[in-house]
Amino acid sequence: MSSPAATDAAPTAPGRAVVVAIVIGLVLAAGAGVALSMLAPPPGPRLEQLGALPAFELTDQTGKPFGLNELRGKVWIADFVFTRCPGVCPLLTERMGKIQARAGELGSDFQLVSVSVDPAFDTPERLTAYMAKHKADAANWHFLTGPTDAIQTVVTDGFKEVLERDHAKGPDDFMSIVHGGHFVVVDRQGHVRDYVDSGAPDAVDVALRDAKSLLREK
């Protein structure tokens, strides 16, 4: 007849095995986490506030007023283009399109804004046609036009981007328009937080990294 001591000792072996298995699993999981963290891209540096945008109101592609008030509480990226631009604008719009295609997970708190720097030509109707040509989704991508003076003020005084004309080519020659080629990243309070060189190979990645970082801010 078995003694009580022997009877009680028998179940402890499986218990130890379970504990050992759990410990081994935790060690392996921790090791896998370290390995994944080494493979994952490091988070970007905290983005400093580079200046507050002044209040502005322009006109979107539907003909409705659209400005800073409509963007409050959103993280957004702006660029500066015009529909008959033969130079950098197609690249800017193509890369903004890539940003939009990859930003679906960010939801409605993330927006894109393209400001026309040829507003006398770029009517809402022309902006709508341009959007269709480039398959821009109006759900979170807005194209803006407005009075020439208002555009000049918003771009140069607000966003601190270049916008001027080469007067040697004549004031009505669209080839005379000189404008900046950055993606300007703006936070929920309307502060500029980064200028991303749109021509850089990693421009789309950097702009999206910035946007995700700002969306996580309290």
Side-chain angles (χ1 to χ4, degrees):
M1 186 173 179
S2 299
S3 67
T7 303
D8 293 341
T12 62
R16 290 195 191 96
V18 170
V19 171
V20 171
I22 292 172
V23 170
I24 292 174
L26 290 173
V27 170
L28 291 174
V34 171
L36 288 174
S37 66
M38 292 174 66
L39 291 174
R46 187 182 185 282
L47 301 172
E48 299 298 327
Q49 293 184 8
L50 302 178
L53 289 173
F56 66 89
E57 184 177 271
L58 300 173
T59 303
D60 71 9
Q61 73 277 358
T62 69
K64 295 179 180 179
F66 190 94
L68 193 59
N69 282 340
E70 287 71 28
L71 292 162
R72 291 287 184 190
K74 313 288 186 182
V75 171
W76 49 290
I77 296 174
D79 73 348
F80 311 94
V81 298
F82 60 106
T83 62
R84 52 181 179 168
C85 170
V88 70
C89 301
L91 174 64
L92 276 162
T93 303
E94 176 191 349
R95 292 193 166 181
M96 282 283 267
K98 289 181 178 179
I99 292 172
Q100 184 176 58
R102 290 173 51 185
E105 64 182 31
L106 303 184
S108 61
D109 279 354
F110 176 67
Q111 301 286 309
L112 299 173
V113 175
S114 292
V115 180
S116 170
V117 292
D118 186 17
F121 181 83
D122 284 339
T123 61
E125 293 77 15
R126 287 194 172 107
L127 292 177
T128 298
Y130 186 79
M131 291 180 69
K133 176 182 177 181
H134 291 277
K135 298 180 173 59
D137 186 349
N140 69 335
W141 191 352
H142 315 274
F143 280 70
L144 306 184
T145 187
T148 300
D149 289 347
I151 295 286
Q152 185 74 43
T153 299
V154 168
V155 175
T156 58
D157 295 348
F159 289 98
K160 310 298 183 187
E161 279 283 88
V162 172
L163 175 55
E164 56 188 34
R165 286 182 179 270
D166 182 351
H167 295 292
K169 295 181 180 178
D172 298 323
D173 184 351
F174 70 88
M175 292 293 289
S176 69
I177 298 173
V178 179
H179 64 94
H182 291 99
F183 295 132
V184 184
V185 185
V186 185
D187 68 17
R188 296 180 190 270
Q189 290 74 43
H191 296 106
V192 173
R193 302 295 290 272
D194 200 9
Y195 290 90
V196 180
D197 179 2
S198 65
D202 61 349
V204 172
D205 293 333
V206 173
L208 281 168
R209 183 192 68 194
D210 286 352
K212 291 175 182 179
S213 175
L214 295 178
L215 286 166
R216 287 194 297 266
E217 283 189 353
K218 298 296 184 183

